[in-house]
Amino acid sequence: MALTDKGHGSPLLSLIQQALGLGRLLLAYHVTEDAVYAFLVPDRGRVEWVRVARRDMVEQEVRRFHSQLSDRRRQSHWEATARTLYSLLIAPVESHLAGIEHLYVVP
């Protein structure tokens, strides 16, 4: 879904987009009571937002990932959890990443 202000660009958004430069995208996440949203700020054009996952699913996988990286005995199992986190947080916005050379992620 696009965030627009009826054709009138936000001065702050324009500054952010200019600072990004061509071929760059800012990806920021926002967590609500029950969902995680991704906000995509391109180098030009409209800001898009996408509901990417349920909050409880992301929290569960983040806890698992942290635990696996913290425990030397479980470090060999982190790759599967990393793939799950990718599927929850990045895969839903992959279509917006075509042509992007630099991706800036704000957790």
Side-chain angles (χ1 to χ4, degrees), residues 79-91:
E79 289 179 351
T81 306
R83 281 191 290 275
T84 300
L85 283 168
Y86 181 93
S87 71
L88 290 171
L89 298 171
I90 302 294

Side-chain angles (χ1 to χ4, degrees), residues 2-14:
L3 297 179
T4 63
D5 55 1
K6 299 186 181 179
H8 303 287
S10 161
L12 179 57
L13 176 59
S14 294

Side-chain angles (χ1 to χ4, degrees), residues 22-33:
L22 292 177
R24 297 171 185 208
L25 180 86
L26 178 70
L27 172 60
Y29 291 96
H30 178 72
V31 180
T32 66
E33 188 175 315

Side-chain angles (χ1 to χ4, degrees), residues 30-83:
H30 178 72
V31 180
T32 66
E33 188 175 315
D34 60 348
V36 177
Y37 293 87
F39 287 83
L40 300 111
V41 180
D43 55 7
R44 60 188 174 279
R46 300 184 323 181
V47 173
E48 302 279 334
W49 64 271
V50 177
R51 183 182 188 276
V52 294
R54 288 189 354 229
R55 177 183 180 149
D56 61 333
M57 292 176 65
V58 173
E59 286 179 339
Q60 176 183 339
E61 293 304 318
V62 166
R63 279 194 297 275
R64 179 179 292 134
F65 190 61
H66 182 265
S67 174
Q68 289 168 338
L69 293 178
S70 299
D71 185 346
R72 289 182 188 246
R73 294 169 298 198
R74 299 179 66 204
Q75 283 184 349
S76 62
H77 304 291
W78 67 268
E79 289 179 351
T81 306
R83 281 191 290 275

